Structures are given as C-alpha cells and as structure tokens.
C-alpha cells in the first residue's frame, strides 16, 4: 500500500515534530541494530569454538525510513506522531537471522534469552504454528537499553529467525505478491502452500542427515 502522505505533508510533519526528533528516532533504532548485531556475532563465534559449528549463516538488518513509518501508522489507523511511532510500530528496527538447520533457530533463541540486558517482549513461533499461507519463521520482539552520554533508553527490535530454505520460500512468496499486488491467479496460494510443505520436509531431511553425521563422528 502506498502512503497517502506526499512530500509537502512530510515536510509539515517534520516541521511540526522537528527533524531532530525524527533523526533521533532513527538513530536509536540504528544503535539497537548495532548492539544486537554485535551480540549475535560474539555468540556465533563462541558457539563455533565450543561446538565446531556456527548456527548463524548470515544476518540481514534494516531500519525503516520515516516515510515507511508514517505509511504504517496511517495504514493501522493511528495519528501520525513520534509517540505513536515509538509505541505502536514494533518493527522500526528489524534483524533477520538465517540458519542452516531448524534446531539452530531454537539454540539462538536460548542464547538471546540468556542475555541479561535483553528483555523478550513477545515470541511468535510460526515454525510450530505456520501461517495460513505456509509461512514459517520464529519472530521475537525484544527491547534493550541503548546507553547514551546522559541516560539509557530502552529500544525495541524485531528479530526473525529462519532457515535458508524458509528464507528462500518467504523471499519468493513476497516477490510474487508484490509483483501481482495480491491479484495473483487463484491457484497460486495453494501451490505456495504445497511448496512450503516441501520446504518443511527438506529442512527435516537435512537436519536428520546432520544428526546422523554427528552420531557417526562420535562413534569414530
């Protein structure tokens, strides 16, 4: 959905609430991304040293731009202001963690839970309970303190954790619906669900192979 707010309205909003406040909002979430990213890299390296296996294949990050935040506030029916941006939009800062195997997803969840300065606000497990369209991923909403020169501010970050296969499916599903603007042929949703089921079986098969090889290595 495209925002109904044009450039003139954006300038009026910026004048009303101040460029400084909008820049500060983005800065806080960029800083939160950096904090979480650093933690994840350290945990990944530690796991590699101890278990000779790094659960994280790669990490993708993004921070929503002001126009995207405004569009989402509009779409959800909220008044466009900074307070609503801070309290009503939970995915201004987003991190996607891509893993090799499904059991890595829950290992990463436990590692995040063990961080003293991270508070987990919400967990949505779309792996055990997939969405109607077949989407599978683990979603976390966390908050952590960002230490500034004069104070610490709690800032929220949305984290998605999924396997390479899950990410492949989700990326293509998004591209298909973005291209067709929710006007895809009627049979496409069912085919996507069938593909999601194939992805699920593939993930399980690869995990079984890994476990078999791990057991083989122990017996040698």
């Amino acid at each position: 959905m495209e925002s109904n707010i044009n450039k003139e309205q954006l300038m009026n909003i910026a004048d009303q609430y101040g460029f400084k406040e909008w820049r500060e909002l983005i800065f806080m979430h960029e800083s939160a991304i950096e904090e979480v990213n650093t933690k994840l890299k350290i945990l990944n390296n530690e796991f590699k040293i101890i278990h000779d296996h790094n659960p994280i294949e790669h990490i993708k990050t993004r921070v929503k731009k002001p126009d995207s935040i405004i569009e989402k506030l509009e779409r959800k029916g909220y008044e466009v202001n900074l307070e609503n941006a801070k309290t009503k939009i939970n995915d201004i800062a987003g991190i996607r963690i891509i893993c090799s195997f499904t059991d890595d997803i829950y290992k990463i969840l436990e590692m995040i839970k063990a961080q003293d300065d991270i508070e987990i606000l919400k967990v949505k497990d779309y792996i055990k309970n997939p969405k109607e369209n077949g989407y599978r991923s683990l979603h976390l909403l966390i908050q952590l303190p960002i230490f500034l020169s004069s104070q610490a501010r709690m800032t929220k970050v949305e984290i998605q954790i999924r396997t390479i296969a899950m990410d492949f499916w989700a990326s293509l599903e998004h591209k298909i619906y973005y291209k067709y603007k929710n006007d895809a042929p009627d049979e496409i949703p069912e085919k996507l669900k069938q593909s999601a089921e194939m992805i699920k079986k593939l993930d399980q098969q690869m995990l079984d192979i890994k476990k078999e090889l791990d057991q083989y290595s122990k017996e040698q």
Side-chain angles (χ1 to χ4, degrees):
M1 174 179 177
E2 295 183 358
S3 175
N4 293 323
I5 296 180
N6 57 34
K7 287 185 179 180
E8 182 179 350
Q9 289 172 308
L10 278 171
M11 291 298 291
N12 290 337
I13 290 167
D15 287 340
Q16 182 180 356
Y17 297 105
F19 281 109
K20 181 180 178 182
E21 285 78 8
W22 280 101
R23 286 202 306 267
E24 185 177 298
L25 177 72
I26 300 303
F27 164 73
M28 292 302 300
H29 287 86
E30 288 175 341
S31 300
I33 289 280
E34 289 185 20
E35 286 281 344
V36 177
N37 212 9
T38 299
K39 287 177 179 291
L40 291 170
K41 287 179 180 178
I42 292 171
L43 292 170
N44 197 44
N45 289 336
E46 177 197 15
F47 202 88
K48 183 178 181 180
I49 291 169
I50 295 173
H51 301 287
D52 195 29
H53 167 64
N54 44 323
I56 299 174
E57 283 290 332
H58 57 271
I59 298 171
K60 302 175 183 178
T61 65
R62 65 105 183 93
V63 176
K64 282 185 180 294
K65 296 179 180 179
D67 57 340
S68 181
I69 297 169
I70 290 167
E71 183 274 327
K72 191 162 188 177
L73 285 170
E74 266 200 327
R75 177 158 43 88
K76 288 179 171 290
Y78 296 119
E79 182 181 350
V80 176
N81 58 52
L82 280 169
E83 184 59 28
N84 280 342
K86 293 175 184 177
T87 58
K88 304 299 185 182
I89 307 299
N90 291 326
D91 63 344
I92 294 176
I95 295 181
R96 184 173 299 153
I97 304 170
I98 311 302
C99 308
S100 298
F101 305 101
T102 50
D103 60 350
D104 288 334
I105 293 173
Y106 296 101
K107 288 173 186 172
I108 293 168
L109 171 61
E110 293 306 313
M111 289 191 287
I112 293 172
K113 283 182 176 180
Q115 298 293 298
D116 291 340
D117 58 346
I118 288 181
E119 179 184 359
I120 296 183
L121 302 176
K122 188 184 298 182
V123 178
K124 289 186 177 179
D125 192 338
Y126 295 117
I127 299 171
K128 294 177 180 176
N129 301 288
K131 288 187 177 182
E132 181 64 27
N133 66 350
Y135 174 85
R136 296 168 66 240
S137 182
L138 184 70
H139 288 201
L140 312 178
L141 179 62
I142 68 167
Q143 67 175 7
L144 72 163
I146 303 302
F147 294 94
L148 305 175
S149 59
S150 59
Q151 61 181 309
R153 294 189 189 176
M154 299 301 289
T155 305
K156 291 182 288 187
V157 178
E158 183 191 66
I159 301 176
Q160 299 177 359
I161 315 174
R162 58 178 68 152
T163 64
I164 298 169
M166 292 175 195
D167 191 54
F168 166 76
W169 183 93
S171 296
L172 291 185
E173 192 266 355
H174 176 76
K175 286 182 180 179
I176 288 169
Y177 279 104
Y178 181 82
K179 180 178 180 180
Y180 287 98
K181 305 294 185 184
N182 293 321
D183 192 30
D186 292 341
E187 67 271 14
I188 295 300
E190 183 58 34
K191 288 184 177 180
L192 283 170
K193 287 179 70 172
Q194 292 172 3
S195 299
E197 191 61 30
M198 292 169 64
I199 291 292
K200 178 181 177 181
K201 291 178 180 177
L202 176 61
D203 269 334
Q204 185 59 53
Q205 185 175 18
M206 298 308 292
L207 179 59
D208 291 343
I209 291 171
K210 173 184 174 290
K211 289 179 177 179
E212 186 177 341
L213 289 172
D214 288 345
Q215 185 61 37
Y216 177 79
S217 296
K218 291 178 182 179
E219 293 172 354
Q220 296 306 302

